[in-house]
Amino acid sequence: MKLCAATLLLLPVFATARAAPQSAVAPKPRIVAKSERASEDAFTEPRAAEIDRAVARGLRWLAEEQEPCGGWVGDAGHKQGDGYAVYHSAEKCREEGGAFMGVSALAGLAFLADGQTPDRAPYDRLQDRLIDYLIAHQSEFGYFCDGGSRMYSHSFAVLFLTQAHGMCLRRQKEVEHALALAVQFTQQAQNENGAWRYQPFTVESDLSVTVCQVQALRAARDAGIPVSSKVIDRVVEYVRASRIEDEDDAGAFYYKIYGRGARQVTTFAINAAAVTSLHSAGLYNDRDYGRAIELIAEGYPHVSERYADHYYYWYGNYYAAQALFTEGGPRWRAYWKRLRDDLLARQQEDGSWQNPVGPGNAFATAVACILLRLPAQYLPIFQR
């Protein structure tokens, strides 16, 4: 196993009783055409055949882009104004014979979201190679790290493996062992505020990184991996403390509430992250996030028009779609129609989607395929 940064001395984790695990075998889907599963109103989706073709083309493109190591490359970086400062490029990943951990995990989720399981052709070998890659880049302390990746990528690696866990009989014990280590690491990396930041074991925190961790923990618990109820309780306290109470944006959420830059801005992506965090913690009370749901639905046209190929669009909608789909109703249906139409219109001739400002086209294509298949609910974490 490759050793990454932040391999600090770890303390014991106090876990709750093991949750009921997912079935060792993924539940067999109802035998219907994929086009019948393309939206909340499955049998009335007017663009179902187009969705099927778009996802198939996107997955073929991703399959062709898989690196020899088993992962996918991308530009690792961070937000800088409306730009994206790269600190570890896709070219550097290739030179090192590695990949970008977070992009790789999202690519794997795209295949699972289409019902392509690790034990079934045509993409079984592709997913085997991805699992090999992830496990090879897990430190002895449980941290998934490669290609300049940080806690974002660690959580996406955990999320992919939780979803693959019940679908991969051949490697279930191996995957379960990796998940147990990873969950222990995630819990111990939670800071005193009950949240997480880019690097593990830091005093800083934000909602963007935190939502990734809490969703991964929720998925791990659903897969039968012990997760501390105290960890989740502290996350809920942090998210609730991030809610804006006395401003024009009352009911929305701050990106940060401690440290430099705290309580300065609320955005489409952050409100989506907050709602998804609460959903992942098992809270579905509209009083906790009602205004944020409204802002997500209202904010999509602006994000789509101004940031169509920007990482703001892809990351923001990855969580906005989950938040609105879980809520359902008229807001979800209106959002889905616009999102679906935009994604279908923006796919490139080669099957990819574009992301010049952000990790790159593999990232955008993986997220686009996940979004188009989200209503199918093949991934346990996306099921209502």
Side-chain angles (χ1 to χ4, degrees):
M1 294 183 179
K2 181 179 281 190
L3 210 59
C4 284
T7 53
L8 303 181
L9 182 62
L10 302 180
L11 302 175
V13 167
F14 299 95
T16 58
R18 181 181 293 263
Q22 296 172 357
S23 171
V25 181
K28 189 174 182 179
R30 184 168 58 92
I31 305 301
V32 295
K34 283 181 183 175
S35 59
E36 292 181 12
R37 303 190 301 267
S39 78
E40 185 183 22
D41 302 313
F43 293 97
T44 61
E45 170 54 60
R47 306 193 69 179
E50 294 173 79
I51 291 170
D52 289 349
R53 288 194 295 270
V55 172
R57 291 173 59 219
L59 295 182
R60 283 196 297 271
W61 184 87
L62 282 171
E64 292 168 359
E65 294 294 311
Q66 189 178 30
E67 297 294 318
C69 69
W72 281 260
V73 298
D75 292 327
H78 58 83
K79 178 181 180 294
Q80 193 169 76
D82 268 358
Y84 186 78
V86 176
Y87 59 77
H88 196 97
S89 69
E91 290 74 16
K92 185 70 172 174
C93 285
R94 286 197 179 97
E95 287 174 10
E96 296 172 347
F100 187 171
M101 181 74 69
V103 171
S104 301
L106 284 166
L109 285 168
F111 287 93
L112 296 181
D114 190 51
Q116 307 291 343
T117 70
D119 283 341
R120 186 170 61 191
Y123 295 120
D124 50 343
R125 178 57 189 144
L126 174 148
Q127 294 191 64
D128 253 348
R129 292 171 59 207
L130 174 56
I131 293 170
D132 287 341
Y133 163 74
L134 295 176
I135 292 176
H137 290 82
Q138 185 179 34
S139 79
E140 63 185 290
F141 299 101
Y143 188 35
F144 289 109
C145 178
D146 189 31
S149 64
R150 300 183 285 183
M151 285 300 288
Y152 273 131
S153 293
H154 170 78
S155 64
F156 285 125
V158 173
L159 186 59
F160 167 75
L161 290 175
T162 64
Q163 306 305 281
H165 172 261
M167 306 177 190
C168 192
L169 281 173
R170 293 176 294 106
R171 309 189 66 172
Q172 196 167 58
K173 292 296 183 184
E174 181 184 14
V175 169
E176 190 168 324
H177 176 71
L179 283 172
L181 284 175
V183 166
Q184 181 173 326
F185 183 89
T186 301
Q187 293 183 130
Q188 292 169 340
Q190 186 182 37
N191 67 22
E192 62 183 13
N193 299 321
W196 294 264
R197 186 67 162 155
Y198 301 131
Q199 299 289 358
F201 308 108
T202 178
V203 296
E204 293 193 3
S205 55
D206 69 64
L207 264 179
S208 181
V209 178
T210 296
V211 64
C212 300
Q213 313 310 317
V214 71
Q215 186 171 61
L217 291 175
R218 166 66 180 269
R221 188 179 189 281
D222 288 347
I225 307 299
V227 173
S228 170
S229 60
K230 293 181 180 179
V231 168
I232 302 304
D233 289 345
R234 294 177 67 215
V235 172
V236 171
E237 289 176 9
Y238 176 82
V239 176
R240 283 176 166 163
S242 300
R243 185 176 175 181
I244 302 170
E245 299 293 350
D246 55 358
E247 305 284 342
D248 292 338
D249 292 321
F253 290 82
Y254 287 118
Y255 169 60
K256 290 180 68 179
I257 55 173
Y258 302 111
R260 186 176 59 182
R263 301 181 186 274
Q264 289 186 356
V265 66
T266 184
T267 68
F268 173 83
I270 294 310
N271 285 309
V275 175
T276 302
S277 293
L278 292 171
H279 285 168
S280 296
L283 300 178
Y284 303 95
N285 191 332
D286 186 71
R287 287 175 296 180
D288 284 325
Y289 51 74
R291 179 56 181 152
I293 281 282
E294 293 174 2
L295 290 172
I296 297 165
E298 294 167 3
Y300 178 79
H302 171 74
V303 171
S304 181
E305 289 162 13
R306 183 171 178 180
Y307 298 108
D309 55 7
H310 196 287
Y311 77 92
Y312 287 169
Y313 179 85
W314 298 109
Y315 182 77
N317 281 294
Y318 176 77
Y319 287 114
Q322 294 180 54
L324 288 166
F325 178 70
T326 300
E327 288 293 300
R331 276 196 293 256
W332 155 251
R333 290 190 290 273
Y335 166 83
W336 164 250
K337 182 179 183 299
R338 175 69 188 270
L339 175 70
R340 174 205 65 198
D341 291 350
D342 287 346
L343 291 173
L344 292 175
R346 292 167 184 169
Q347 188 174 28
Q348 304 299 299
E349 287 296 320
D350 63 1
S352 68
W353 280 265
Q354 302 295 292
N355 177 223
V357 183
N361 293 355
F363 167 69
T365 303
V367 174
C369 290
I370 291 169
L371 292 173
L372 286 171
R373 279 290 180 241
L374 185 149
Q377 301 183 74
Y378 264 161
L379 290 178
I381 197 64
F382 293 159
Q383 290 172 2
R384 281 197 175 109

